[in-house]
Amino acid sequence: MSVDVAPSPVLQTPGAVAGAPGSPDAAVAWHYGDPFGEQKAAAQRVAVVDRSHRGVSRITGAERLSWLHTITSQHIANLHDGHSAESLDLDLNGRVLHHFVLTDLDGTLWLDTEGGHGTELLGFLQKMVFWADAKPEAADFAVLSLLGPETDTLLPALGLGELPGLYAAVALPGGGFLRRMPGDSFDLLVPRTDLATWWTKLTSAGARPAGMWAYEALRVAALRPRVGIDTDERTIPHEARWIGGVEEQGAVHLNKGCYRGQETVARVHNLGKPPRNLVLLHLDGSADERPATGDDVTAGGRTVGRLGTVVDHYELGPIALALVKRSVPAGTELVVGSMAAAIDPDSVPSEEGVQAGRAAVDRLRGR
């Protein structure tokens, strides 16, 4: 997935190294000269990451929430002002097309997604309005992310008295808002014209500049997938760990209907198991080269999975996310390209418990 986005002005920061040409992160900094130091700051102190290549849109109108509730996977009909959620757009077969984060604040519903998905997602939403009082449109806003347990030290620079709670959002002085995401992570959505100003303000207040390398390393370690990189055209929500309501940090609420692809979600949840699981792989770091996103994961010469994000972590070494067949045990010797790989056993989802639909079928059969 490449993204055709204008280079961020933050790339003018001394030491900034842009993402690889043609990569999803080519328009922003991959690092600022000290990738592992940036990761450590993001994990232990506070760092700011330029994610201005994300696509941002907004929806106004009195029916914006009830309308979007009917066509996407999350339960947002009664989302309170100043709150956020993650959601998906699925195709008719329940396969993931888009993942996005939404925030409702002061009468406007904000959506941000991968830069390469923004135009397509907005086009879909605009086609689905019909007679609803909802108006989706592009918004010239940019995303910055703050990472680390010491984000509260930036409160004076943010012009705020306290940080919001999980998935909550507060307006920023001068426009935009701050939103808390899972983990020690916060997103700022600010007017794109103010991007450089906010970058300077936050770094001057003590936030260490960190590139997407740092963001990706912590994301992969936390088993949080990125659509279009850790997913493919066959991915269903169960495979990517996106099942659950807002309180479960998921993107698919299981007790709502009325959205495209719902039948597949319900069937897998009640009767089946996902064919693949998203797992963390530890890669053999003895080679200089790294496998690429999309490479086959093999066991005994047989393809058993697909490689997603590959990144070097400051503590874990080379790691990756992968969609691997559910039948592959954690101890299986795997190969990706010419590199040995192993599944982190702690990343394998538990399959304990009996599904409601399966239990009902067993009762009918007298089991």
Side-chain angles (χ1 to χ4, degrees), residues 21 130 178 188 190-191 242 247 287 324 347:
F130 302 113
L178 176 74
L188 285 83
V190 298
W242 272 322
E247 65 283 354
V324 176
S347 72

Side-chain angles (χ1 to χ4, degrees), residues 15 30-43 45 47 208-214 218:
W30 184 237
H31 65 83
Y32 295 89
D34 183 12
F36 291 152
E38 294 164 27
Q39 289 183 36
K40 187 175 292 187
R45 298 186 297 280
R208 176 158 183 176
M212 283 297 296
W213 186 341
L218 300 187

Side-chain angles (χ1 to χ4, degrees), residues 7-200:
S8 168
V10 177
L11 279 173
Q12 302 303 313
T13 301
V17 176
S23 74
D25 302 316
V28 295
W30 184 237
H31 65 83
Y32 295 89
D34 183 12
F36 291 152
E38 294 164 27
Q39 289 183 36
K40 187 175 292 187
Q44 300 176 1
R45 298 186 297 280
V46 61
V48 57
V49 180
D50 178 15
R51 298 173 68 220
S52 60
H53 54 329
R54 284 181 68 77
V56 181
S57 56
R58 61 188 166 207
I59 306 172
T60 53
E63 296 176 321
R64 63 191 182 279
L65 287 171
S66 58
W67 165 75
L68 190 63
H69 175 89
T70 65
I71 59 174
T72 56
S73 63
Q74 189 56 274
H75 197 301
I76 61 167
N78 300 314
L79 190 71
H80 295 299
D81 180 65
H83 285 75
S84 306
E86 298 180 53
S87 191
L88 302 177
D89 169 37
L90 308 177
D91 70 10
L92 289 172
N93 295 310
R95 300 184 179 110
V96 178
L97 297 177
H98 305 105
H99 169 271
F100 55 94
V101 185
L102 57 92
T103 299
D104 197 57
L105 187 65
D106 297 332
T108 298
L109 184 60
W110 299 87
L111 281 69
D112 60 285
T113 188
E114 289 290 335
H117 289 221
T119 300
E120 184 179 347
L121 176 60
L122 178 59
F124 165 70
L125 295 176
Q126 290 173 331
K127 291 176 183 177
M128 294 299 292
V129 171
F130 302 113
W131 300 281
D133 182 9
K135 182 182 179 182
E137 59 185 352
D140 198 18
F141 273 60
V143 180
L144 293 172
S145 290
L146 297 172
L147 307 177
E150 297 181 3
T151 302
D152 57 351
T153 62
L154 302 177
L155 283 171
L158 293 167
L160 301 174
E162 61 181 0
L163 296 172
L166 181 61
Y167 287 123
V170 292
L172 293 168
F177 59 89
L178 176 74
R179 169 183 68 207
R180 184 191 287 263
M181 297 296 291
D184 291 321
S185 176
F186 295 81
D187 292 334
L188 285 83
L189 272 74
V190 298
R192 190 167 293 274
T193 53
D194 296 338
L195 175 62
T197 300
W198 271 106
W199 181 265
T200 300

